[in-house]
Amino acid sequence: MYPFKFKPILKERLWGGTKLKDKLGKPIENDITGESWELSTVKGDVSVVANGELSGTSLQELINRNPESVLGKSVVERFGTDFPILIKFIDAKKDLSIQLHPNDELAKKRHDSFGKTEMWYIMDADDEASLIVGFNKDVTKEEYAQSLENDSLLDLLNYESVKEGDTFFINTGKIHAIGAGVLLAEIQQTSDVTYRVFDFNRRDKNGNLRELHTEQALDAIDYEKKDDFKVGYPKEMNTVNKMVDCPYFKTNFIELSEELELNITERDSFTIFMCVGGSVEVQNDHGSARIQKGETVLVSANSSRIHLKTSEVKLLEVTI
């Protein structure tokens, strides 16, 4: 149960680019790679250990062998042997489609899946880059539907300019899109259920328009204007700074210029570190692994301590 690194699962996307290679060193071989899935047990896309004696073992196999040791007793009680979150890096060379995700209740009913609450940490942004998050006013279902018919949806949406370090929390039902020129880290519930409502009339490599989920989205959208998405958080050096604490995950920001020891004896959860700057050696009771910007490591729940050895690093720490 040493700290585990995993092979990235790379995804070509119509809107992808090359920043995952240029900025994060991912082994991509084309110009349209949009996502690097870092930790996943989504069917067909299960992460595989890349380091140590268990190299080649899938994350699901690790969990199945000893669920409580990997996940934590309380996590197993809630989710069984399902890994409850999905970790990604995303590069948007072009605007992503405008979309939203259903809540747990609707996703279970329609797709036998969890909903998809997520958060974004901006790692890099071109000048003038922005996100779409929510509406710019309260709208009715009828107004929204009319805007799709007359091609005026963009007039109803809220745009947020972004820079490195900005963080956003995206509730289920909130309409959103990552804008061109943004590289970010994403933490989300384990779900791949997305309702795409507008795609700028783009066509795929075969000349086809991508599927829209207009009718499904109508009952899933939150039509109220809410300023609940921008995450303010402290940025004190050499300590743990709370960012997000929701029912699905907890995320902290850690920026270090020296070593840090974390006592996690009472933490009944696995711990994930996403490196968003610099590099660090992550040690637990059973071994160590070094990660640098753009890499992710999983520390099992049966660890009592985590020692972070570095002279300069920025981390997102994720637990349940």
Side-chain angles (χ1 to χ4, degrees):
M1 292 298 172
Y2 56 90
F4 297 112
K5 296 172 66 173
F6 294 85
K7 299 175 182 177
I9 301 170
L10 302 172
K11 300 283 188 179
E12 292 185 16
R13 297 290 188 248
L14 194 63
W15 40 262
T18 62
K19 282 187 179 180
L20 292 174
K21 176 177 68 176
D22 300 339
K23 301 284 187 179
L24 305 186
K26 299 298 180 184
I28 67 175
E29 298 179 352
N30 58 63
D31 295 337
I32 55 165
T33 300
E35 301 184 12
S36 176
W37 290 22
E38 299 289 298
L39 275 175
S40 167
T41 56
V42 173
K43 187 176 181 181
D45 288 301
V46 179
S47 297
V48 173
V49 176
N51 66 320
E53 63 185 58
L54 292 175
S55 179
T57 306
S58 76
L59 175 54
Q60 191 62 64
E61 188 177 348
L62 285 179
I63 295 169
N64 292 344
R65 287 179 184 177
N66 203 330
E68 291 187 5
S69 292
V70 177
L71 299 178
K73 183 178 179 180
S74 64
V75 177
V76 173
E77 288 173 350
R78 286 182 64 190
F79 302 102
T81 56
D82 294 326
F83 196 66
I85 54 180
L86 175 58
I87 301 291
K88 302 177 182 177
F89 293 114
I90 296 177
D91 168 27
K93 184 177 181 179
K94 301 177 182 177
D95 294 328
L96 270 68
S97 62
I98 297 169
Q99 57 189 242
L100 61 130
H101 311 293
N103 60 27
D104 284 347
E105 182 181 4
L106 199 55
K108 180 67 176 177
K109 178 180 177 182
R110 290 180 176 176
H111 312 284
D112 193 27
S113 171
F114 290 115
K116 188 175 174 182
T117 298
E118 61 190 352
M119 66 165 283
W120 299 331
Y121 174 89
I122 307 301
M123 296 179 66
D124 184 77
D126 295 350
D127 293 341
E128 310 301 323
S130 65
L131 308 173
I132 290 172
V133 191
F135 292 104
N136 58 29
K137 64 175 184 175
D138 291 346
V139 301
T140 65
K141 184 186 293 189
E142 291 72 27
E143 285 178 302
Y144 166 78
Q146 183 63 41
S147 76
L148 293 181
E149 288 185 19
N150 60 26
D151 204 22
S152 63
L153 174 63
L154 298 180
D155 296 335
L156 300 178
L157 301 178
N158 174 58
Y159 292 80
E160 295 282 328
S161 59
V162 294
K163 63 183 184 304
E164 180 186 350
D166 287 347
T167 301
F168 296 83
F169 183 75
I170 311 297
N171 283 307
T172 54
K174 188 178 294 296
I175 200 164
H176 63 271
I178 302 171
V182 175
L183 174 69
L184 59 78
E186 180 177 89
I187 300 153
Q188 60 160 92
Q189 288 176 269
T190 291
S191 171
D192 209 23
V193 179
T194 295
Y195 294 161
R196 187 184 299 121
V197 298
F198 184 67
D199 196 33
F200 305 96
N201 302 314
R202 291 181 294 201
R203 297 181 182 272
D204 64 20
K205 60 185 178 182
N206 298 317
N208 300 314
L209 294 169
R210 292 201 294 173
E211 181 184 6
L212 299 180
H213 308 94
T214 306
E215 292 301 319
Q216 287 178 301
L218 288 174
D219 293 330
I221 294 176
D222 182 351
Y223 294 99
E224 290 185 45
K225 178 184 183 299
K226 294 178 180 175
D227 296 323
D228 59 352
F229 47 81
K230 190 75 178 284
V231 178
Y233 60 98
K235 299 179 182 178
E236 294 184 32
M237 291 288 296
N238 302 316
T239 190
V240 177
N241 300 281
K242 178 179 173 181
M243 300 179 88
V244 169
D245 186 348
C246 75
Y248 308 107
F249 51 81
K250 299 176 176 66
T251 305
N252 299 315
F253 178 75
I254 302 175
E255 183 173 5
L256 303 178
S257 60
E258 60 189 34
E259 298 183 13
L260 180 67
E261 181 89 13
L262 301 174
N263 184 337
I264 58 168
T265 306
E266 302 302 317
R267 179 178 292 175
D268 190 17
S269 166
F270 58 85
T271 304
I272 297 165
F273 292 105
M274 301 184 77
C275 187
V276 295
S279 65
V280 63
E281 184 177 346
V282 181
Q283 300 177 339
N284 71 348
D285 314 70
H286 316 290
S288 67
R290 174 164 287 278
I291 56 172
Q292 61 186 14
K293 183 178 180 180
E295 293 186 319
T296 303
V297 69
L298 172 68
V299 180
S300 60
N302 67 348
S303 307
S304 63
R305 67 173 190 91
I306 298 174
H307 189 76
L308 302 173
K309 295 184 65 175
T310 185
S311 60
E312 183 180 13
V313 75
K314 293 180 182 179
L315 297 169
L316 303 181
E317 180 192 42
V318 186
T319 63
I320 294 293

